Amino acid sequence: MSQLQSSALARVKPSATLAVTARARELKREGRDVIGLGAGEPDFDTPDNVKRAAVDAIMRGETKYTDVDGLPELKAAVAAKFARENGLSYEINQIHVAPGGKAVLYNALVATLSPGDEVIVPAPYWVSYPDMVLLAGGEPVTVVGHEADGFKLRPEALDAAITPRTKWLILNSPSNPTGAAYTRAELEALADVMRRHPHVWVMTDDMYEHLIYGDFDYLTFAQVAPDLIDRTLTVNGVSKAYAMTGWRIGYAGGPKPLIDLMRKVAGQTTSNPSSVSQWAAVEALNGPQDFIRGRAAAFERRRDLVVSMLNQATGLRCPTPEGAFYVYPSVEGLLGRTAPDGTVIDSDDAFVSALLDAEGVAVVQGSAFGLSPYFRISYATSEDVLEEGCRRIQRFCASLR
């Protein structure tokens, strides 16, 4: 196998979140009562108007190849969305559409990275960022955003991490895995750093943009720093806000020279996203948006439930996130304790494994996201399931000695 596998692939790890989901499914097939809190997928259904648009597209025969990086109609809908919701002005030739947000990010990295180029990846990070950088031939540079700073990147830490080889900074707000979101002041401070380093580009992953809670005012980087829009790629998609994870449509707005390079990558890899999914996304972006607020309110109630119950668990500490549908509790208070089966909880990995074995609750270890000792819970499921899952976590924590 070592001779078969490429040197590029040998540098990366399988997705930890996908692995947890697969393990939970395997245990369920074996008859175990498992609660899966690992997957980052809304439990809501795709809106009916979006489904109808897909059916209508099929019946019209919209089942052929499209332009490599998206239908003109979808690009127009994306440009309208950026103008309407983010105050960003993009022409159609500045829009890129791909089979999911992950493909958009990967296309940009492959299109721009040469061996030795560095990409600053704030931790905790979405598990795929560093490995996509490695696959694209670059070097991920992890910079930790500590819990005391709301898990967010400090400007002085960013400044210290930039070298002549730095090509990109990746910003994810609200964040997977912590739910942390950057304020205007925090983004302005990062923009000040970027102005001192004109060779560095910014890639913003805004996939959880519409899942913001309380009175938090969401802004994307280019909105706060319009003078930097010519070296910013603003990435988003329909997966989370519109519950369209399986439809696989991501999109981005950016400078035309970069978009041209990304189109070149797509033309020799995936080619166009599904034509039917694209027409569904046109309706998602152009159609009624009022349901989003109601779903966000449901997620906010779930967040409050989970944060409250986890903070009542022995030894856990769970900060309250600003957005997304994740919490990132600390297990620091449990390190060194022993589970009833004799397992010593010496890391978040050990905690997650022992929790799954003892209580059938699947969560993801913080080491997968670049910051321990924490774990991630996705609360994108029903309140009943979340209550039962949190009760089991409380019971497990109380059992440690």
Side-chain angles (χ1 to χ4, degrees):
M1 180 61 73
S2 60
Q3 293 180 342
L4 177 64
Q5 180 174 259
S6 72
S7 57
L9 193 59
R11 303 175 76 196
V12 309
K13 307 178 296 296
S15 168
T17 51
L18 295 180
V20 166
T21 302
R23 175 62 176 152
R25 287 173 179 162
E26 179 184 340
L27 290 174
K28 285 182 179 180
R29 286 194 295 269
E30 293 173 359
R32 286 285 306 275
D33 176 19
V34 175
I35 293 178
L37 301 179
E41 183 171 49
D43 58 323
F44 295 111
D45 198 7
T46 303
D48 287 343
N49 63 305
V50 176
K51 294 180 185 177
R52 285 192 298 270
V55 173
D56 290 345
I58 292 172
M59 299 309 295
R60 290 196 310 271
E62 305 278 8
T63 56
K64 308 297 185 183
Y65 294 132
T66 73
D67 291 348
V68 165
D69 63 346
L71 290 161
E73 292 86 349
L74 180 51
K75 289 186 178 184
V78 170
K81 177 264 182 243
F82 278 133
R84 179 178 69 243
E85 298 182 349
N86 307 113
L88 300 178
S89 177
Y90 292 112
E91 300 296 327
I92 298 301
N93 61 13
Q94 294 180 289
I95 302 297
H96 182 83
V97 181
K102 186 179 286 187
V104 176
L105 297 165
Y106 187 66
N107 288 350
L109 293 170
V110 169
T112 58
L113 293 181
S114 298
D117 285 347
E118 297 173 349
V119 177
I120 295 175
V121 182
Y125 46 68
W126 179 43
V127 294
S128 294
Y129 293 144
D131 289 312
M132 284 195 289
V133 171
L134 290 168
L135 275 174
E139 298 295 333
V141 176
T142 300
V143 183
V144 173
H146 295 282
E147 182 183 345
D149 296 315
F151 297 117
K152 289 178 274 193
L153 177 65
R154 297 286 303 168
E156 57 269 25
L158 170 61
D159 197 43
I162 293 174
T163 75
R165 296 184 301 277
T166 306
K167 179 66 70 72
W168 286 100
L169 162 67
I170 298 179
L171 279 181
N172 178 208
S173 174
S175 159
N176 175 3
T178 66
Y182 287 85
T183 65
R184 175 184 287 275
E186 289 165 340
L187 290 174
E188 287 176 343
L190 296 179
D192 285 341
V193 175
M194 297 303 294
R195 292 185 181 101
R196 296 197 294 271
H197 301 280
H199 67 292
V200 184
W201 289 57
V202 183
M203 187 182 301
T204 70
D205 181 349
D206 300 347
M207 196 63 70
Y208 298 92
E209 168 188 13
H210 289 293
L211 301 180
I212 286 288
Y213 310 124
D215 57 358
F216 191 91
D217 183 21
Y218 176 82
L219 295 163
T220 190
F221 183 83
Q223 202 171 358
V224 171
D227 58 309
L228 300 179
I229 194 170
D230 286 340
R231 52 188 172 106
T232 300
L233 183 69
T234 303
V235 182
N236 212 316
V238 298
S239 294
K240 312 301 181 181
Y242 301 95
M244 294 176 67
T245 50
W247 298 78
R248 308 310 300 137
I249 296 291
Y251 57 79
K256 183 179 181 298
L258 172 60
I259 297 300
D260 289 344
L261 295 175
M262 293 168 64
R263 184 185 308 111
K264 186 176 179 180
V265 174
Q268 297 295 357
T269 53
T270 60
S271 195
N272 65 272
S274 158
S275 59
V276 175
S277 293
Q278 289 188 66
W279 283 108
V282 170
E283 174 61 23
L285 293 174
N286 287 343
Q289 307 292 307
D290 52 336
F291 71 94
I292 294 177
R293 181 173 297 180
R295 291 185 176 186
F299 280 126
E300 185 170 9
R301 290 192 298 271
R302 297 172 183 183
R303 178 202 65 172
D304 293 344
L305 169 69
V306 170
V307 168
S308 174
M309 291 189 72
L310 291 181
N311 278 322
Q312 294 173 50
T314 303
L316 295 187
R317 181 180 68 250
C318 184
T320 301
E322 292 92 354
F325 41 63
Y326 308 105
V327 291
Y328 202 62
S330 169
V331 299
E332 184 180 14
L334 298 175
L335 296 181
R337 299 194 184 189
T338 303
D341 67 355
T343 299
V344 177
I345 308 301
D346 57 2
S347 65
D348 47 54
D349 296 75
F351 175 87
V352 165
S353 179
L355 173 65
L356 182 57
D357 289 341
E359 293 288 350
V361 178
V363 298
V364 187
Q365 64 274 20
S367 61
F369 305 104
L371 185 64
S372 296
Y374 297 85
F375 65 97
R376 190 195 77 173
I377 282 180
S378 167
Y379 52 86
T381 188
S382 72
E383 291 186 25
D384 288 344
V385 170
L386 292 171
E387 283 190 27
E388 176 60 21
C390 289
R391 275 196 293 268
R392 294 186 189 187
I393 293 172
Q394 289 175 341
R395 188 165 62 208
F396 176 70
C397 291
S399 74
L400 302 178
R401 295 292 180 262

